[in-house]
Amino acid sequence: MVKLFTSRIFFSCILLCILFAMVAHAQVKEEGIIPRPVKMVKTNEVFTFNKSTTIGTAQKIDADELTFFNAYFKSAAGFSLPVSHKLNTSIYLTIDSEAVTHPEGYKLSITAKKIKIIAHDEAGVFYGLQSLIQLLKVSNGKVTVQSCAIMDYPCFAYRGMHLDVSRHFFKPEAIKKWIDLLALYKINTFHWHLTDDQGWRIEIKKYPLLQSISAYRDETIIGHKKDSPHKFDGVRYGGYYTQDEVKEIVKYATQRHITVIPEIEMPGHALAALAAYPQLGCTGGPYKTATFWGIFDDVYCAGNDETFTFLQNVMDEVLPLFPSKYIHIGGDECPKTKWKACPKCQQRIKDEHLKDEKELQSYFIGRMEKYLNSKGRQIIGWDEILEGGLTPGATVMSWTGEEGGIAAAKQHHDAIMTPEKYVYLDYYQSLYPAEPLAGGGYTPLSKVYNYEPITGDLSGDEAKYIKGVQANAWSEYMANPAQAERQLFPRMLALAEVAWSSKKNKSYPDFLKRLRYQQPLLKKLNINAADVFDEITDSVTETVDHQVALNLQTTLPNSKIYYSNDGSTPGLNSKIYAGAITITSSGIIKAAVFNNGRQQGRTYEKSFTIHKAIGKTVTLKNQPQGGFSPGNTFGLVNGIFGSKLYNDGQWYGFSGDDLEAVVDLGNVQSISKLGINILKYHWQKMWEPTLLTFEVSTDGSNYTEVYRQTDFPDNGINAVRANIKTQQARYIRVKATNKGIIPPGEYIAGAKAWLMVDEIIVN
């Protein structure tokens, strides 16, 4: 038997209506479902809707539900579907957990005479309807769907999207709009990040100052956090969701088979709360709701029992609003600076026989976990909750990389994979200079799609603890719904397929075909989705004779790439790209994609600076680290300068370590100019070296210093260009002394500084 809520049918009908209107005006030959079903077999038959088409189930359907359905069907198709409570209806929905054994699974059968959905449960019925919606067509007033047989079920039980509403606040209408899209593409979890340093976004009636103080900040930073000095707009900003609004949104999501998991951050990211209740901090304040983005030393005091009373009281109001099994308690990016200097925190460490501040964080998380467990809930936390030991029953959300999820799974704790370098949607999705301001990083559609949540580091038994995957959207640079949508879509569709479809059933080219079919629907739904995935991407490689080769690609079918190497705008009279372009001289390559004689998308360009060190052997004493480790040294001598966004794979980063690089020119020759690029962004922990030197040698053993520099004044790229007395040399040694530990009073004081370098230039 099936129970279909009124709003579920209502939602399906809305999408049916929109899709009918969309397909009627679109000339799209490809079709397909996102996410890709487990199995789909098409036949040549076609089911045609007409005025005698009926819909029903084995159980009576509420009359109001059918009224909604027929109202929207009629507005799209021009007629209503008669209702029958008999078994022989034209469209029949039923639940049979023996016929469909996988939770959330369904079978959709379409013949010329009948459409039937058999599902494991109500969620399966709902997802079967979403697949049917995506297959419908309208042409010349006829509503049809191609006959097929679909067998489908999800790969992962947890399929999520995270949205930060603290940095920027989105009204309930926007949240509901995005929930509709998540439901259409079978996402079943909405992770709602409600509190942070820049704003508290949920009404807590026991603590009214959270609404009047914590929910608002005095102003907001203009531009990027890395800019120095920071500039502000001078405009008070904020807002919060009333408890009634939260209830409405949770109900709205539940009716679409989406679980809403709230996140109340602790023990860090607490400035907004401390601004209203300063006694909860280690120093007693005063504090202010943060006006710029980043990590702040002021956190909840772990030695103050009033902190836990406050958080427990907050949870007492949060829990009735969210029926979810899980409550997210944050746990990430909690500096220990204030705890180390706090008498109460140090006394807590002593009283609880803890080793250090890391174990104090584990105590904090564990204490809140016990309270939530007593209320019948489980906690999820970011992977920093592993610090000091993982509390029993905790689920880890692995964001800093995959290591946290792997570690949790090996300890037989559930984990959700959400590594930033693969699934962060606030990162750039294109390297084109005209891209809107974003958080940093680079996660193009293809990178999101090709992510696999289960790694080879896990055994079969351990892999079962990876419960799913989630994409995260932090809203620092998403100031309004249109900007947010451009970041979220279509990458969320790629994530939907990662979460639903098995690895063996995935194909990026096939996904792009189906995505192109879906694009008119996204436009009709008024979704400001980015349309950059078919634009030119590149790779730069080293030829066998140590020159630079530029490779260009586009995924747009039936298209050609035209390019110029003289800086001119490419057109149909330019050169046609037919293979790797060997770069032999400095200049700019511009290229564009053309289809049917018209340019598609933006013009690509890349600058090259050719010099004597191009393709030469570079030896590093210390290896680059983290996301700034390209895997080889060619990027230091490939003629390409890293961008100010540091997300293009050109920058080499050394966390706490010095740079010592030796370039072997292959033979002794005359040199008179040396150079290197240094990236300086103190707000990103990227510090200039305390000393930079160039040395030269003819034999690789005896070096002579020819240049030194200690001043790097620019916030951004410092282009070091040294004119030296003409020398005979084969080897050039570059040394740069890392700042080491970030000094007191600076952003993230006490952390290791990053030394960022690119392109060693020799002429």
Side-chain angles (χ1 to χ4, degrees):
M1 294 186 294
V2 179
K3 296 179 181 178
L4 293 177
F5 296 104
T6 300
S7 51
R8 292 179 195 163
I9 294 291
F10 178 73
F11 168 64
S12 298
C13 299
I14 291 175
L15 288 174
L16 280 165
C17 172
I18 292 169
L19 188 64
F20 288 150
M22 177 272 291
V23 177
H25 294 90
Q27 295 180 351
V28 182
K29 294 183 179 179
E30 296 292 344
E31 63 179 40
I33 297 168
I34 294 177
R36 189 178 188 180
V38 172
K39 186 176 181 180
M40 179 175 181
V41 178
K42 297 181 180 180
T43 67
N44 292 326
E45 295 182 340
V46 172
F47 180 95
T48 301
F49 292 83
N50 55 51
K51 294 181 180 180
S52 64
T53 303
T54 54
I55 182 170
T57 70
Q59 182 182 355
K60 288 185 178 181
I61 298 177
D62 187 276
D64 289 339
E65 295 174 356
L66 295 172
T67 300
F68 275 121
F69 183 89
N70 270 322
Y72 280 91
F73 191 94
K74 183 176 182 180
S75 69
F79 58 90
S80 299
L81 299 180
V83 178
S84 171
H85 301 302
K86 299 179 180 178
L87 297 179
N88 61 342
T89 54
S90 305
I91 304 173
Y92 185 67
L93 316 175
T94 189
I95 289 177
D96 187 337
S97 58
E98 293 183 359
V100 180
T101 58
H102 293 84
E104 301 181 283
Y106 67 92
K107 292 180 180 179
L108 171 60
S109 172
I110 303 172
T111 67
K113 295 183 178 180
K114 193 176 185 67
I115 296 175
K116 186 174 184 179
I117 295 176
I118 305 174
H120 179 87
D121 46 28
E122 288 184 352
V125 173
F126 182 77
Y127 293 137
L129 285 170
Q130 308 320 301
S131 293
L132 177 60
I133 286 168
Q134 294 185 41
L135 292 174
L136 292 167
K137 292 183 178 181
V138 174
S139 179
N140 298 322
K142 292 178 62 177
V143 183
T144 63
V145 61
Q146 183 177 348
S147 296
C148 64
I150 294 175
M151 185 266 288
D152 201 11
Y153 54 85
C155 184
F156 291 100
Y158 185 107
R159 307 181 299 279
M161 188 192 88
H162 156 286
L163 180 66
D164 161 30
V165 296
S166 176
R167 278 59 177 230
H168 282 101
F169 177 72
F170 302 104
K171 293 182 178 180
E173 309 89 78
I175 301 297
K176 291 179 180 179
K177 178 183 178 183
W178 298 333
I179 285 173
D180 283 346
L181 263 291
L182 299 184
L184 178 61
Y185 297 109
K186 305 182 177 74
I187 295 295
N188 69 352
T189 307
F190 176 54
H191 173 178
W192 203 1
H193 186 90
L194 289 164
T195 73
D196 216 296
D197 297 298
Q198 293 78 13
W200 183 285
R201 303 292 179 222
I202 182 171
E203 178 188 22
I204 303 298
K205 295 179 180 179
K206 189 177 183 67
Y207 298 105
L209 296 184
L210 292 175
Q211 285 74 259
S212 61
I213 295 176
S214 303
Y216 294 89
R217 55 179 180 259
D218 292 341
E219 56 188 358
T220 303
I221 187 174
I222 298 171
H224 201 282
K225 183 190 78 173
K226 69 180 185 296
D227 297 339
S228 183
H230 284 168
K231 298 179 181 179
F232 298 88
D233 61 11
V235 179
R236 188 170 184 257
Y237 180 90
Y240 64 92
Y241 304 99
T242 67
Q243 292 192 8
D244 285 343
E245 287 174 328
V246 171
K247 290 177 184 177
E248 183 182 351
I249 290 170
V250 170
K251 180 180 179 182
Y252 191 87
T254 301
Q255 291 166 343
R256 288 149 180 78
H257 290 278
I258 291 176
T259 298
V260 182
I261 296 178
E263 180 178 357
I264 307 298
E265 272 275 15
M266 63 186 80
H269 288 293
L271 260 183
L274 298 183
Y277 299 96
Q279 69 273 23
L280 304 179
C282 289
T283 68
Y287 308 103
K288 289 179 63 177
T289 302
T291 57
F292 61 94
W293 328 126
I295 302 170
F296 301 89
D297 287 342
D298 288 303
V299 301
Y300 288 119
C301 179
N304 184 355
D305 282 337
E306 189 177 348
T307 296
F308 296 97
T309 300
F310 168 80
L311 290 171
Q312 289 169 4
N313 288 337
V314 166
M315 287 299 178
D316 286 345
E317 293 194 35
V318 168
L319 297 184
L321 304 175
F322 297 91
S324 58
K325 172 184 176 182
Y326 294 105
I327 302 296
H328 203 299
I329 48 77
D332 63 314
E333 297 177 331
C334 180
K336 312 301 190 291
T337 305
K338 299 297 183 182
W339 287 357
K340 290 178 180 179
C342 175
K344 289 182 179 180
C345 289
Q346 293 305 307
Q347 187 63 44
R348 179 81 74 190
I349 290 173
K350 181 179 179 180
D351 292 346
E352 299 294 336
H353 307 291
L354 306 174
K355 291 181 181 179
D356 53 23
E357 288 73 24
K358 287 186 177 180
E359 287 200 358
L360 181 59
Q361 172 156 332
S362 183
Y363 164 84
F364 193 114
I365 298 299
R367 183 164 171 174
M368 288 305 301
E369 179 183 29
K370 288 178 182 177
Y371 185 77
L372 288 168
N373 289 165
S374 73
K375 303 292 184 178
R377 306 299 181 93
Q378 299 291 323
I379 69 163
I380 298 179
W382 301 110
D383 51 35
E384 286 95 331
I385 67 172
L386 288 160
E387 295 177 6
L390 195 60
T391 56
T395 295
V396 172
M397 193 165 274
S398 190
W399 77 273
T400 59
E402 296 176 293
E403 294 78 11
I406 292 169
K410 287 184 177 293
Q411 296 177 45
H412 293 182
H413 279 264
D414 289 346
I416 297 156
M417 302 303 271
T418 179
E420 61 175 326
K421 71 177 182 179
Y422 294 107
V423 294
Y424 266 39
L425 305 186
D426 49 303
Y427 283 6
Y428 286 91
Q429 54 196 313
S430 167
L431 295 178
Y432 280 53
E435 275 296 290
L437 187 67
Y442 177 45
T443 51
L445 184 71
S446 59
K447 192 173 186 179
V448 175
Y449 184 85
N450 289 317
Y451 176 62
E452 285 299 328
I454 296 179
T455 74
D457 299 294
L458 296 173
S459 67
D461 182 61
E462 293 166 341
K464 70 183 182 182
Y465 292 98
I466 304 298
K467 296 302 180 182
V469 61
Q470 174 174 287
N472 292 345
W474 301 95
S475 65
E476 288 94 335
Y477 305 100
M478 301 188 302
N480 55 62
Q483 288 177 319
E485 287 172 6
R486 193 181 188 280
Q487 294 297 119
L488 295 174
F489 304 105
R491 287 184 290 182
M492 263 313 302
L493 277 65
L495 190 282
E497 192 146 315
V498 171
W500 182 277
S501 305
S502 66
K503 180 179 180 180
K504 66 180 181 180
N505 203 33
K506 287 170 57 184
S507 164
Y508 186 61
D510 181 72
F511 170 76
L512 290 181
K513 290 180 181 178
R514 289 177 282 120
L515 177 58
R516 293 186 190 101
Y517 174 74
Q518 299 278 338
Q519 280 182 297
L521 173 57
L522 293 175
K523 291 180 180 178
K524 200 70 182 179
L525 289 169
N526 197 29
I527 297 296
N528 184 40
D531 188 10
V532 301
F533 52 86
D534 281 329
E535 290 184 330
I536 293 173
T537 57
D538 67 21
S539 62
V540 177
T541 55
E542 185 178 3
T543 67
V544 292
D545 56 350
H546 306 296
Q547 291 183 305
V548 175
L550 175 64
N551 306 276
L552 304 177
Q553 305 90 29
T554 178
T555 53
L556 186 65
N558 305 314
S559 63
K560 293 181 180 180
I561 296 175
Y562 291 80
Y563 75 96
S564 67
N565 55 9
D566 59 2
S568 62
T569 301
L572 295 174
N573 294 323
S574 301
K575 299 176 183 178
I576 298 177
Y577 177 80
I581 304 167
T582 300
I583 308 299
T584 58
S585 61
S586 299
I588 301 175
I589 300 291
K590 292 187 177 182
V593 177
F594 284 81
N595 179 271
N596 294 325
R598 298 182 63 182
Q599 182 173 336
Q600 306 295 314
R602 299 170 293 187
T603 300
Y604 160 97
E605 65 177 67
K606 178 150 293 205
S607 297
F608 291 88
T609 300
I610 302 303
H611 51 86
K612 288 187 175 184
I614 292 292
K616 302 303 182 184
T617 300
V618 180
T619 304
L620 296 174
K621 181 178 180 180
N622 298 313
Q623 295 305 307
Q625 297 160 292
F628 306 110
S629 178
N632 57 51
T633 58
F634 178 60
L636 288 169
V637 287
N638 65 359
I640 303 170
F641 295 168
S643 79
K644 64 181 181 180
L645 301 178
Y646 53 88
N647 64 353
D648 52 9
Q650 297 299 319
W651 290 98
Y652 289 64
F654 302 84
S655 178
D657 291 336
D658 299 335
L659 167 73
E660 184 172 324
V662 176
V663 181
D664 181 359
L665 298 177
N667 54 63
V668 176
Q669 50 190 286
S670 296
I671 61 170
S672 59
K673 295 180 180 180
L674 299 170
I676 192 170
N677 293 334
I678 302 290
L679 193 62
K680 173 185 172 182
Y681 287 128
H682 289 185
W683 286 106
Q684 297 294 91
K685 301 190 293 183
M686 299 173 182
W687 280 72
E688 69 277 20
T690 57
L691 174 64
L692 170 71
T693 61
F694 285 100
E695 301 170 345
V696 299
S697 171
T698 57
D699 60 8
S701 297
N702 301 294
Y703 283 88
T704 301
E705 182 181 311
V706 295
Y707 182 80
R708 65 169 43 208
Q709 182 171 322
T710 57
D711 184 32
F712 304 86
D714 295 332
N715 183 69
I717 298 174
N718 285 261
V720 178
R721 301 295 182 264
N723 294 310
I724 65 172
K725 183 180 179 180
T726 301
Q727 306 272 333
Q728 295 295 306
R730 172 177 173 176
Y731 301 93
I732 291 87
R733 184 161 65 188
V734 187
K735 291 182 177 180
T737 305
N738 194 303
K739 181 71 175 180
I741 300 300
I742 297 174
E746 298 287 349
Y747 180 64
I748 312 295
K752 292 180 180 180
W754 281 95
L755 172 62
M756 304 287 292
V757 303
D758 174 46
E759 200 62 24
I760 300 172
I761 304 166
V762 181
N763 277 313

